[in-house]
Amino acid sequence: MRLSQYFLPILRDDPKEAEIASHKLMLRAGMVRQEAAGSYSWLPLGYRVLRKIEQIVREEQNRAGAIEVLMPTLQSADLWRKSGRYDAYGKEMLRIKDRQDRDLLYGPTNEEMITDIFRSGVQSYKDVPRNLYHIQWKFRDEVRPRFGVMRGREFLMKDAYSFDLTREAGQHSYNKMFVSYLKTFARMGLKAVPMRAETGPIGGKDSHEFLILAPTGESEVFFDKGFHDVDWQNFEIDYDNVEDVAGVVEKFTSMYAATSEMHDGADYEKRVPADRRMTGRGIEVGHIFFFGDKYSLPMGCEVQGPDGKKVVLQSGSYGIGVSRLVGGIIEASHDKDGIIWPEAVAPFKVGLINIKSGDAEADAACAKIYKALEAKGVEVLYDDRQQPGGAKFATMDLIGLPWQVIIGPRGLKDGIAEVKHRATGQRENVALDKVVEKLAG
RNA sequence: CGGGGCGUAGCGCAGUCUGGUAGCGCACCUGCCUUGGGCGCAGGGGGUCGCGAGUUCGAAUCCCGCCGCCCCGACCA
């Protein structure tokens, strides 16, 4: 993409309504635009990141055996009356009437709907286990939306729902999601620490939150230093192997980690040696629940067992805040100059800077590399604007693309470009004909 | 929902107390100059001062009502 033809409304000053780094940077980098309290339009740069995160989530859900569906944003109130949550959910639920005066709501979550869908599609114990998920916009009419996309009212969420015949089988479904979450967040360059959680209004028996560590997190967290040393990603897992999956869960839950709400000081001191006690702040990016028959029972979600008797299914739900992750990643990865995208979620991999746009030689050298990178499938944003070099550097650092290729008269004399790694700041002179090779890996 | 604050050009702000032709910086447009970390000079465009009703010869400014947004507290992916 040529920047001269892109839509990237950069701001030089921090908008005054933004309080935390990710919010400021997302507005300054032209990623989003606020439309109302807690409601954002996703501009081209931000949308690219959102889609990349969504795709990673999707791939890891699929790998763990979950099956993608898509449910509507608007739901009928009747479903929620059946589960008893229509009244229980309170003002956070946005309620709407249609022209026939029927009660609708903009879905804050989908347990009712998925349970209804699943129930009507299965009759036999042979139809379970199953895990269905979708990635859809949710609306929760938060009392106080804030921090940009970190706590919006409208947000993109992946929610998965498992259905099993027995509690034991349900536990395995839960464990699979637990492990897939570790892998999902690790792929985005994040360490998301699983912590035992309250079950809250969703209800249920077992629950973990996944929190990424960042100084601006909303929750205070206490954890074992061991989390810094474990292998988050490079373990192989066979999701069908019940013991192996449970083993990973055991490994990660055996270390102490708790938010302040769940923190037990005595237990902490008993289980964690003083030199390994860590405190910090965390941002919740995922939350998983096992809730047994809480929804299956009132909604009549059951199948016929091998003995011919009806069995109420055991279920769980598993959420990831996809849009929140955009802000969360920035909180975990930025510096004074701007965002530092992990490569897996970067809107473009490479930013190509033409120091002297308009100079025939510089233009030609840039155009050649630009085309070659695109031909190799490397996502590149080419700053071909008529701007002083300094402005281009500042823009590129702000939007945080992992690699910058800097081409100007100075280097061209010797046939070289400068390649800068945004995260480390390391610069390297690379022969013009080796640039593509270096970055196409 | 309780408490506090703010709405003036795309962004950041001054002007409001004490009513009298709406301003500054950045951004933007034109020309020249420049291009290795937000360059310089000259010229220029852009605002129903959040909305409505009032007081007044005259309202961004005073009065009344409303709306929006932000921050602090109790709740949430």
Side-chain angles (χ1 to χ4, degrees), chain A residues 248-262:
Chain A
V248 175
V249 173
E250 170 60 24
K251 178 177 160 195
F252 278 86
T253 53
S254 62
M255 280 183 286
Y256 188 94
T259 59
S260 54
E261 298 86 50
M262 297 292 281

Side-chain angles (χ1 to χ4, degrees), chain A residues 28-90:
Chain A
R28 285 192 51 210
M31 294 177 65
V32 292
R33 195 183 89 110
Q34 181 167 353
E35 298 299 345
S39 169
Y40 291 83
S41 288
W42 291 80
L43 306 182
L45 196 76
Y47 190 44
R48 287 180 79 99
V49 176
L50 186 67
R51 286 200 323 245
K52 292 212 168 173
I53 292 172
E54 178 181 344
Q55 185 58 23
I56 289 172
V57 170
R58 175 176 290 119
E59 287 170 10
E60 293 302 325
Q61 289 291 290
N62 293 347
R63 196 162 291 168
I67 305 161
E68 188 169 17
V69 298
L70 184 61
M71 292 176 266
T73 53
L74 291 182
Q75 305 184 26
S76 159
D78 289 344
L79 269 178
W80 287 68
R81 293 200 174 96
K82 213 174 285 179
S83 73
R85 281 209 294 178
Y86 189 64
D87 295 321
Y89 216 95

Side-chain angles (χ1 to χ4, degrees), chain A residues 400-428:
Chain A
L401 307 185
W403 297 96
Q404 295 175 13
V405 176
I406 300 158
I407 292 178
R410 204 171 79 189
L412 284 176
K413 284 204 313 275
D414 306 320
I416 54 168
E418 185 175 81
V419 175
K420 176 182 159 187
H421 188 228
R422 176 69 177 87
T424 59
Q426 280 176 359
R427 297 153 183 276
E428 187 185 342

Side-chain angles (χ1 to χ4, degrees), chain A residues 362-376:
Chain A
D363 288 353
C366 286
K368 190 172 172 194
I369 286 179
Y370 173 61
K371 284 191 187 126
L373 284 169
E374 292 225 308
K376 288 275 187 187

